[in-house]
Amino acid sequence: MTTVRSTLPDDARKVACEALQDTLVDLLGLSLVGKQAHWNIVGPRFRSIHLQLDEVVTAARDFADTVAERSAALGVPPDGRPETVAKAFTLPAPQEGWVRDSDAVQVMVEALQDAVARLRERIDATEKADPVTQDLLIGITAELEKQRWMFDAENFPR
């Protein structure tokens, strides 16, 4: 079996790829949270939030692909298997069944906020180990912060 060789030293690669794997799980889970809310949202703001949820899902899926490919480029196979995501995912998610529009918005605010907080920790962790991975995580953070802000504005005033 051949393996992809990394351009990073082993210790730096380990830090970067742990950050990437954890981010991959969060992004795949976030895309599922968004789709679950998308399929089950009800309420007077159904259409606008339904469409907004798809924006988050698309962003999360695209970023997941980029993160996985970065990990592979560093010589560590990414793990996006369902059982891996199910075991490791801990972001907030909507309840089972129909979800009120205001509740869907709130769960997305919380999930995005938690994902951003974790990304910021990974940004710090990768600063010296791999600035390229850090830069990737910074870009993802910026987009998820924007999405969190847009959802948070949906429930104003509380």
Side-chain angles (χ1 to χ4, degrees):
M1 170 185 238
T2 60
T3 60
V4 177
R5 295 184 195 264
S6 175
T7 58
L8 294 177
D10 286 345
D11 57 338
R13 182 179 66 151
K14 183 177 187 290
V15 169
C17 289
E18 283 178 5
L20 291 166
Q21 179 59 39
D22 292 344
T23 301
L24 179 61
V25 167
D26 281 353
L27 290 169
L28 291 172
L30 189 60
S31 75
L32 294 171
V33 166
K35 267 305 180 186
Q36 182 67 22
H38 172 87
W39 294 322
N40 291 290
I41 189 170
V42 294
R45 296 180 296 156
F46 165 83
R47 180 150 173 75
S48 64
I49 296 170
H50 181 81
L51 296 173
Q52 190 176 353
L53 287 163
D54 264 347
E55 290 176 23
V56 173
V57 170
T58 298
R61 287 178 177 168
D62 289 347
F63 286 139
D65 190 51
T66 302
V67 163
E69 289 176 354
R70 177 70 184 152
S71 184
L74 293 177
V76 175
D79 188 355
R81 296 172 300 153
E83 58 270 25
T84 301
V85 175
K87 183 170 58 172
F89 183 74
T90 60
L91 293 176
Q95 65 189 22
E96 182 180 347
W98 303 119
V99 181
R100 287 287 304 166
D101 51 6
S102 57
D103 294 338
V105 166
Q106 189 57 40
V107 79
M108 291 308 297
V109 168
E110 292 169 6
L112 288 162
Q113 187 165 310
D114 287 0
V116 164
R118 293 176 193 189
L119 277 162
R120 288 188 170 279
E121 291 172 3
R122 295 174 197 138
I123 288 168
D124 289 343
T126 56
E127 180 180 12
K128 297 237 187 288
D130 183 20
V132 175
T133 294
Q134 182 193 42
D135 185 58
L136 174 63
L137 299 177
I138 289 169
I140 294 169
T141 301
E143 177 60 27
L144 295 186
E145 282 180 332
K146 180 180 117 184
Q147 292 292 337
R148 192 212 63 78
W149 157 63
M150 295 175 107
F151 275 104
D152 201 30
E154 286 280 348
N155 276 349
F156 184 83
R158 286 189 195 119

